[in-house]
């Protein structure tokens, strides 16, 4: 991947006007939307289910990824796919049988993503990268937007980049949490190629289009060739 991919988290969106905000995200030039699914157990916060995602599917044409910050994701996997998500991201910490879960996601015709909380080492997933399409390195502790970027995750990002390149796979390496104008270059230089931002897209100087363009430029300047 030679160009950075920008993903918008909907967490800061106006939940009373989600359709309007997902259209604004697409119009701003974002590549994909992340639906931050939270169950109040795996993370303290609670957000939305597949019906909310489905209600917004036809408002835009860009891709949807479901970031499942939930315990035991297996029973609902098909619902997120049916809602229109092309990528389903589960947490390595959320369930016992991660290999089976990723396999099931692929069997449903979606791409399989696995997320690592800041305290979870890359070693937790190195043995299942052969059935992984996207690796999400959390740069905050999940559950809320607007948190400070954890620059200490750079070594995990770099190690993940090296392993992906060693395996010569096209696994997407995404970062999520505190990504903005002052942090995206750091994450890019460490090896990330997909950048999920919430607050930095919805808030700040200028328009969402201008903020999106600025993030893309900042990431491009430091993107590690893959
Ligand atoms: C945190 C979510 C992130 C978060 C990103 O649990 O998974 O996607 O909303 O928001 P910012 O960019 O504000 O940190």
């Amino acid at each position: 991947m030679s160009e950075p991919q920008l993903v918008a988290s909907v967490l800061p969106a106006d939940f009373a006007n989600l359709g309007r905000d997902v259209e604004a995200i697409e119009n701003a030039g974002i590549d994909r939307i992340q639906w931050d699914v939270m169950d109040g157990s795996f993370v303290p916060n609670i957000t939305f289910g597949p019906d909310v995602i489905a209600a917004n599917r036809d408002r835009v044409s860009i891709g949807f990824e479901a970031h499942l910050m939930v315990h035991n994701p297996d029973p609902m996997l098909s619902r997120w796919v049916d809602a229109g998500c092309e990528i389903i991201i589960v947490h390595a910490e959320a369930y016992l049988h991660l290999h089976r879960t990723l396999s099931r996601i692929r069997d449903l015709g979606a791409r399989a993503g696995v997320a690592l909380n800041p305290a979870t080492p890359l070693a937790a997933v190195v043995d299942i990268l052969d059935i992984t399409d996207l690796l999400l390195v959390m740069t905050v502790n999940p559950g809320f937007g607007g948190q400070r970027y954890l620059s200490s995750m750079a070594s995990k990002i770099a190690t993940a980049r090296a392993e992906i390149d060693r395996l010569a796979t096209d696994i997407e390496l995404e970062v999520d949490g505190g990504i903005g104008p002052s942090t995206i270059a750091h994450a890019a230089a460490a090896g990330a190629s997909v950048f999920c931002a919430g607050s930095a897209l919805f808030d700040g100087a200028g328009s969402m289009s201008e903020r999106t363009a600025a993030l893309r430029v900042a990431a491009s300047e430091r993107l590690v060739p893959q």
Side-chain angles (χ1 to χ4, degrees):
M1 185 177 296
S2 58
E3 289 296 318
Q5 295 291 295
L6 292 184
V7 179
S9 157
V10 297
L11 206 53
D14 175 358
F15 280 21
N17 294 282
L18 265 181
R20 179 202 68 193
D21 281 2
V22 297
E23 289 177 353
I25 288 168
E26 182 175 61
N27 294 334
I30 288 290
D31 299 300
R32 196 160 69 217
I33 290 177
Q34 180 184 102
W35 294 89
D36 307 85
V37 178
M38 301 180 185
D39 65 358
S41 173
F42 182 73
V43 293
N45 205 350
I46 297 177
T47 52
F48 35 67
D51 293 344
V52 172
I53 298 172
N56 288 277
R57 179 57 278 179
D58 294 338
R59 298 293 287 262
V60 293
S61 56
I62 55 176
F64 284 0
E65 64 183 41
H67 177 192
L68 303 183
M69 290 164 273
V70 304
H71 280 128
N72 188 15
D74 280 38
M76 289 278 285
L77 289 178
S78 63
R79 295 287 309 277
W80 307 109
V81 178
D82 294 345
C85 297
E86 65 192 44
I87 301 173
I88 310 297
I89 303 168
V90 296
H91 268 261
E93 310 87 358
Y95 195 48
L96 289 178
H97 304 293
L98 190 54
H99 183 280
R100 184 174 64 195
T101 300
L102 295 181
S103 300
R104 283 182 171 171
I105 292 169
R106 284 184 156 188
D107 291 345
L108 288 167
R111 284 190 281 153
V114 58
L116 297 174
N117 284 337
T120 305
L122 187 66
V125 298
V126 287
D127 294 323
I128 55 169
L129 291 179
D130 61 315
I131 58 169
T132 300
D133 299 300
L134 182 147
L135 177 60
L136 177 59
V137 176
M138 295 302 295
T139 45
V140 294
N141 289 294
F144 301 92
Q147 300 181 82
R148 185 176 57 83
Y149 170 81
L150 297 173
S151 57
S152 56
M153 292 298 108
S155 58
K156 186 193 300 187
I157 298 166
T159 306
R161 169 53 58 204
E163 182 63 8
I164 290 168
D165 292 349
R166 185 185 70 81
L167 294 171
T169 73
D170 56 357
I171 294 173
E172 290 188 64
L173 181 51
E174 182 173 348
V175 290
D176 181 6
I179 298 297
S182 63
T183 59
I184 193 167
H186 182 269
S193 57
V194 184
F195 306 87
C196 181
S199 310
L201 287 175
F202 281 88
D203 307 317
S207 66
M208 188 183 280
S209 296
E210 290 165 338
R211 294 193 290 273
T212 300
L215 287 175
R216 200 179 295 279
V217 166
S220 300
E221 288 171 350
R222 300 298 303 274
L223 204 67
V224 171
Q226 287 118 41

